[in-house]
Amino acid sequence: MRLISRLLMLCAACFALPSLAAPLSNLYEVREPVADQQPEEREAALQRAFDTLVLRLTGDPEASQRPAVAELRKNPQQLISRYAYENEGIRAFFDPQTTERSLRGAGLALWGANRPSILSWWLVDAGEGARLIGDGQDQSGALRVAAQHRGLPLRLPLADLGEQMLGVAEAAQGQDAQALREASERYDADALLAVSAVQTGSQWEASWHLWLGEEQTRGKASGETHEALADAVMLAVSKFLAPRYTVAAGEVEDITLEVLGADVSRFAELEQLLTPLAGRLIRVESDRLVYRLSASPEQLRAQLALARLHEVPAEEMLVDTLSTEGQPPEQGPAEVPAPEAQATTEAPSDEGALPEGEKPLLQPDVGLLLRYRW
């Protein structure tokens, strides 16, 4: 009850904040084309759907060829809760828990549903002059389908007259992108993608450039149709992003995570972000949340960056420790001391709550200590 009451107090300080990283609700839904509804065609389409999902979850085009994964591919229906035919295609709904457990058991490193939102400045030229594709325009549908197929949260600009004049083609080719960066600030996305697509005869070709924080990459893609080109670009983007967020079995360690500056909106966002990592809230102290979880520190840092959280430097953690304890810690500032060296207040469970004013039992934090603030 004590923990719940503190969460309610946290709710009283609610201020609505935009969620930047975009959890994909349809991550485990895959659509593949079919020629007919015969059993052989259906089985082949479901196997293609399995391949698409594995690539969507790993970013690794070779993942489906691993022996353990190839065994799962022989009978993908064991991972599918249902499927349905629609618009000359088949839509497969994979069970998230069964699929994730099976793929991790096969040794794959997986990318969760919380992914960086991508603002795409997509310039298209089909021989009648270049035009920026905006949100709600006809050709935006092809981009959204391609992004969903590759598991990417896509945003598109308004493409008003002022934005049509921006140098998208130059930015896509790796030239000056300052104007594009400034125009992107209003959309507040995690990543920026500039694409210049041109139709030449029966072929589509594109130059693209992606920025993610201080990282960037670029490339070229082609396709027989604009839809195929969009899929090729989104696949290349997915392959670049996936290694930054995937974590393999055996690469995790126990972590105590402290988050400062929380309110109810941020608490809800953090809960959603940490759910795939089995994060467990153990304490609430004013605007300070303390979690325990088992994860890869690198993956956790990447996920927290999506929520615009900033890691507290080790030297600041040391200053905080000195100010609160009056003496330096026995171990390095980024590592939590052993149980006999440090004890902290553990939030009691709802059962057997202590009377008001009485202190709960002391329990030690465990593992690596990471501290973040908004």
Side-chain angles (χ1 to χ4, degrees), residues 245-260:
Y245 301 99
T246 55
V247 58
E251 293 182 351
V252 301
E253 59 181 282
D254 292 330
I255 297 175
T256 296
L257 172 66
E258 296 183 6
V259 180
L260 310 176

Side-chain angles (χ1 to χ4, degrees), residues 210-223:
L210 176 73
W211 293 265
L212 176 68
E214 298 300 320
E215 294 186 87
Q216 59 179 296
T217 187
R218 63 185 181 183
K220 296 184 180 295
S222 61

